[in-house]
Amino acid sequence: MRTFALALGGGGARGLAHVAVIEALDEMKVKPAAVAGTSIGALVGAAYAAGMPGKDIRRHVIAVAHNRAETMRRLLAARAGTLADLFAGGLGQATQIDAEKFCAQFLPDAVSADFSALSIPLTVMATDVHRRLEAPISSGPLHAALAASIAIPGLFRPVLIDGRVLIDGGTTNPLPFDQLRGRADVVVAVDVLSVPPAARGEIPGAWESVSATLTIMGGAIIAAKLAQGAPDLVVRPNVGIFRTLDFYRASAILRAAEAVKAEVKERLGALLAA
């Protein structure tokens, strides 16, 4: 049978749909030769590359997302600063989240501290702020790389790795299938960002405006990348109605993504058998 590699894109809570894709692969009894992920795709990809089955990732997601009191406790523990910073004029520190603390609070215990312990090779996409370039990371401390990949500007504090200031990989490469070329016979990309959202009439607030801008930019980057050279298979779960921070709607997102499993089995199965 032919080999395949898997790219999991960014898109906030919509990226929980990646879990359904992984469940489909488990049911097919196939595993990728390599995984690349951006933002939420990097988090889910890390859990998968660490050896977690899709069902276990689903259980972890639902357990965290639907315990609001516990989620709030973990978010407070992940703040970049304290109330003292707020009174001292450090508004950004007091309101931003420390991405490394966030990963420590929310990652499953199965996700190892270093890339070398993963059972599937993983590439995590981040962005180098000062060089204005994408920054793929595939070795060294894993949690720091994941923290950099999810560091959405304004929401998370940037992450410093090896002298580089890094932020969310979605700002340069929201669907990193190009990182997998030459690593398998078939490249599969799961896009949860460029699915058009449901039309809404309200004027967005500050965060919604930032989120919408990042989504528009990310969709444009993906479209340009696909025009240059698309992967063998692009899968788009039907989760466009959900917002970036709709993590508390995890069960609804996973239900909406359920239909993608049949598509993955049919289309990927045909490619692997070809």
Side-chain angles (χ1 to χ4, degrees):
M1 183 178 286
R2 302 171 80 198
T3 60
F4 73 101
L6 179 67
L8 302 176
R14 293 183 293 275
L16 297 180
H18 293 319
V19 177
V21 173
I22 290 170
E23 288 175 336
L25 299 179
D26 291 343
E27 291 165 15
M28 294 173 69
K29 293 182 169 48
V30 296
K31 284 193 178 295
V35 175
T38 296
S39 199
I40 182 68
L43 295 182
V44 175
Y48 183 44
M52 289 184 71
K55 295 294 185 187
D56 288 354
I57 301 174
R58 176 188 288 261
R59 277 193 286 268
H60 176 80
V61 165
I62 291 176
V64 172
H66 294 294
N67 186 339
R68 292 210 184 190
E70 177 63 13
T71 297
M72 286 305 301
R73 184 196 68 76
R74 296 188 191 199
L75 283 172
L76 287 172
R79 283 181 303 169
T82 64
L83 290 178
D85 294 320
L86 180 62
F87 292 114
L91 179 62
Q93 285 278 66
T95 58
Q96 283 188 321
I97 298 171
D98 183 310
E100 293 185 75
K101 289 182 181 178
F102 180 91
C103 287
Q105 289 291 327
F106 288 99
L107 280 174
D109 293 338
V111 178
S112 57
D114 198 274
F115 279 88
S116 61
L118 297 174
S119 58
I120 301 173
L122 174 69
T123 300
V124 171
M125 295 306 304
T127 298
D128 187 317
V129 170
H130 297 304
R131 292 180 177 87
R132 302 178 186 178
L133 297 170
E134 60 182 54
I137 307 170
S138 55
S139 62
L142 176 57
H143 291 193
L146 295 172
S149 190
I150 66 169
I152 300 172
L155 184 61
F156 290 94
R157 186 171 65 183
V159 176
L160 185 65
I161 299 179
D162 296 333
R164 296 183 299 172
V165 179
L166 303 178
I167 60 169
D168 180 23
T171 58
T172 51
N173 196 341
L175 188 61
F177 58 85
D178 52 321
Q179 294 291 319
L180 299 171
R181 288 201 174 103
R183 303 187 67 178
D185 300 315
V186 173
V187 175
V188 180
V190 186
D191 177 16
V192 295
L193 187 64
S194 57
V195 179
R200 296 186 177 97
E202 73 268 21
I203 295 176
W207 162 248
E208 284 292 337
S209 294
V210 171
S211 173
T213 300
L214 291 173
T215 299
I216 292 167
M217 292 170 60
I221 293 170
I222 290 172
K225 282 163 53 72
L226 291 174
Q228 281 189 325
D232 301 283
L233 174 59
V234 179
V235 178
R236 292 188 173 96
N238 187 24
V239 290
I241 65 169
F242 299 100
R243 302 185 193 217
T244 301
L245 296 183
D246 274 353
F247 288 98
Y248 66 94
R249 301 184 67 190
S251 291
I253 294 169
L254 289 166
R255 281 195 302 271
E258 192 69 17
V260 82
K261 293 168 73 170
E263 179 187 357
V264 170
K265 291 177 185 179
E266 179 182 353
R267 298 179 65 193
L268 177 59
L271 285 170
L272 295 183

